[in-house]
Amino acid sequence: MADPYYITTAIHYPNGKPHIGHAYETVAADVIARFQRLKGRDVRFQTGTDEHGLKMARKAQDEGKTPRELADEMSGHFRDLFDRLNISYDRFIRTTEPEHHTASQALWRAMEANGDLYLDRYEGWYSVRDEAFYDEKELVEGEGEGGEKLSPQGTPVEWTVEESWFFRLSKYQAKLLDLYASQPDFIQPDSRRNEVMRFVEGGLRDLSVSRTSFDWGVRVPGSEEHVMYVWVDALTNYISGLGYPEEGADWKYWPADLHLIGKDIIRFHTVYWPAFLMSAGVDLPKQVYGHGFLLNRGQKESKSLGNVTDPMVLADQYGVDALRYFLMREIAFGQDGSYSAEAIVTRANAELANSFGNLAQRTLSMIAKNLDGVLGEYRPEGDDKALLTTVQDACREAFPEQFEKLAFSAGIDAWMKAVYACNQYVDEQAPWALKKTDPERMRTVLQTLFIALRDLAIAIQPVIPE
């Protein structure tokens, strides 16, 4: 356990209850964490909630609550979901924790000491829903007579004018491009890397990093009327959860091996975050992976369409392991994918129940019934050795090789082919017939299947741990 591995999800914005997209990202991160632990690595897995910003303040006001009351309530829903989905996180961080405020202010002071912060006046477009600033050239015309301006994500924007601290992002354009060129795996998949490089090559403007129009956030040190731009605060969670600025026992996990995030926040993690860290003199994470969206029957979920799915309901209806298996099996990770109740049932029945489950049930019940659960000495023949070679090649080579690349669906496909090979072996060997004609051969066949089942179960454990 001397080889540290640090994986994080994006911390989730709790202005509403968690949806299937939150479940998808967090299950994927959990599968990676469990897979790395299975390899013997010393894993640190962090998730949590991002609780500051104007969006939270307005939502709380609408509901007649304080922002803290809303944050406490909604953060609890996320923790409940992750516990229900058997998420093996080591740290659930909340940005309202005092230690996180201390770390965010320490990062701010380090950037200030490097000469990268200055006070000026901000005038421009801001999306409350995205908590993001946009240039005029990035905006799109909304549908309808009003022709309202929208962000590239299709969210409303507001013209904002206020005094603000700025971060010298423009100073880091060349350094960021050098980073992308020297470490091509820093941003994955390649489609996201290309998107970010085009954005940075187009020129970077200094970034407004504080607000005075509301006070729900981390106070700017030495400028108490300002709160930090929510993304300065939010991104800092990846190091505040390790005790930054102190380099204590948990600092051995930094730099992070993987920030797993949705593709819609790739710019914050691959432009702003490395620039902040460069400024503060902190090592950069090794990789940022922007996965695709999970669509409901091909549509992006939204309250206006009435198609938002509660992942708690899916877990209760189909079972946690079946849901986890479907999420990792159905979609090529990194791309957008679609789900439906019928698709979950089809995968669970065809592969988990009928193929793998039936194989285990037949094998173990025959061992119990015909061998009293005692396997005895093993004398494999040619067909037996061939099957075990097939299973071991899948479970110990193809499966982990694909999982290292986050190609979960391809890895599970290799695993399923080994399951099919086992079922074909059962049909060909017919141990129920051997019971009468050759009991010793029956024993060998069942022993072979037992060994194969063991390898199959260990391999798939990160996906379906129960």
Side-chain angles (χ1 to χ4, degrees), residues 4 6 8 235 238-239 242 250-257 259 273 277 282-286:
Y6 183 31
T8 69
L235 291 163
Y238 302 127
I239 54 176
L242 300 178
D250 290 336
W251 196 247
K252 66 179 178 179
Y253 296 104
W254 191 260
D257 293 83
H259 289 328
W273 181 225
L277 292 173
V282 179
D283 290 340
L284 305 187
K286 297 173 186 175

Side-chain angles (χ1 to χ4, degrees), residues 128-393:
V128 176
R129 198 179 303 174
D130 299 345
E131 296 285 10
F133 303 99
Y134 293 105
D135 289 337
E136 183 85 32
K137 63 185 179 182
E138 295 182 276
L139 302 182
V140 296
E141 292 291 329
E143 297 179 1
E145 297 179 6
E148 114 183 274
K149 294 181 184 293
L150 300 175
S151 77
Q153 317 295 337
T155 57
V157 293
E158 305 174 357
W159 184 257
T160 302
V161 179
E162 61 182 314
E163 182 184 70
S164 176
W165 283 93
F166 282 77
F167 174 75
R168 297 186 193 278
L169 186 63
S170 57
K171 171 181 167 183
Y172 290 90
Q173 180 172 341
K175 292 180 181 178
L176 289 168
L177 291 173
D178 287 346
L179 167 67
Y180 309 148
S182 63
Q183 298 181 38
D185 287 340
F186 178 73
I187 307 172
Q188 286 294 308
D190 286 340
S191 58
R192 313 277 183 257
R193 178 173 175 268
N194 295 336
E195 169 196 331
V196 171
M197 286 185 69
R198 285 195 301 270
F199 172 74
V200 176
E201 286 167 350
L204 294 178
R205 296 174 57 187
D206 290 353
L207 180 68
S208 170
V209 288
S210 76
R211 305 296 302 275
T212 56
S213 55
F214 63 96
D215 62 0
W216 178 240
V218 178
R219 298 286 180 182
V220 171
S223 210
E224 297 298 318
E225 69 279 13
H226 289 253
V227 295
M228 292 182 195
Y229 172 40
V230 68
W231 275 105
V232 178
D233 152 24
L235 291 163
T236 306
N237 95 89
Y238 302 127
I239 54 176
S240 69
L242 300 178
Y244 178 85
E246 301 299 323
E247 295 190 7
D250 290 336
W251 196 247
K252 66 179 178 179
Y253 296 104
W254 191 260
D257 293 83
L258 179 62
H259 289 328
L260 190 66
I261 61 165
K263 65 179 183 178
D264 55 331
I265 55 174
I266 194 80
R267 184 186 302 180
F268 303 105
H269 284 79
T270 58
V271 181
Y272 301 170
W273 181 225
F276 295 160
L277 292 173
M278 289 174 184
S279 174
V282 179
D283 290 340
L284 305 187
K286 297 173 186 175
Q287 187 175 84
V288 179
Y289 192 102
H291 62 77
F293 290 145
L294 193 60
L295 308 174
N296 188 340
R297 300 180 187 274
Q299 286 186 311
K300 190 172 180 181
E301 292 197 346
S302 74
K303 292 176 183 175
S304 60
L305 291 174
N307 66 346
V308 177
T309 303
D310 183 345
M312 281 285 206
V313 173
L314 293 179
D316 291 341
Q317 194 162 359
Y318 304 112
V320 171
D321 273 357
L323 177 60
R324 288 171 60 108
Y325 181 85
F326 172 83
L327 292 174
M328 297 298 97
R329 170 67 163 138
E330 186 77 5
I331 301 156
F333 199 67
Q335 300 175 17
D336 289 350
S338 195
Y339 77 96
S340 66
E342 295 85 353
I344 297 171
V345 169
T346 298
R347 282 287 186 197
N349 285 349
E351 297 184 356
L352 285 184
N354 294 345
S355 296
F356 182 54
N358 192 41
L359 172 69
Q361 195 276 335
R362 285 200 291 177
T363 301
L364 298 176
S365 61
M366 287 188 72
I367 291 172
K369 183 178 179 181
N370 300 313
L371 302 178
D372 293 326
V374 179
L375 293 174
E377 188 178 348
Y378 184 45
R379 297 187 182 91
E381 299 177 8
D383 289 347
D384 315 322
K385 292 176 182 177
L387 177 70
L388 292 184
T389 297
T390 296
V391 171
Q392 289 173 1
D393 285 350

Side-chain angles (χ1 to χ4, degrees), residues 35 38-39 356 359 387-404 410-422 449-462:
F35 171 70
L38 199 56
K39 289 173 55 185
F356 182 54
L359 172 69
L387 177 70
L388 292 184
T389 297
T390 296
V391 171
Q392 289 173 1
D393 285 350
C395 293
R396 303 182 190 183
E397 293 183 27
F399 182 91
E401 183 179 297
Q402 295 296 337
F403 267 50
E404 284 288 0
I412 296 172
D413 188 58
W415 179 84
M416 274 307 307
K417 286 176 180 174
V419 173
Y420 295 147
C422 290
L449 289 167
F450 184 86
I451 294 166
L453 272 172
R454 177 200 63 194
D455 280 4
L456 289 165
I458 289 170
I460 203 66
Q461 180 184 333

Side-chain angles (χ1 to χ4, degrees), residues 70-98:
L70 178 66
D72 288 346
E73 176 190 342
M74 290 300 173
S75 182
H77 290 305
F78 281 84
R79 193 187 290 265
D80 290 345
L81 174 65
F82 298 160
D83 291 345
R84 180 75 179 91
L85 294 178
N86 207 351
I87 305 300
S88 61
Y89 58 82
D90 298 289
R91 177 79 157 89
F92 187 100
I93 192 166
R94 299 182 58 188
T95 55
T96 46
E97 297 171 9

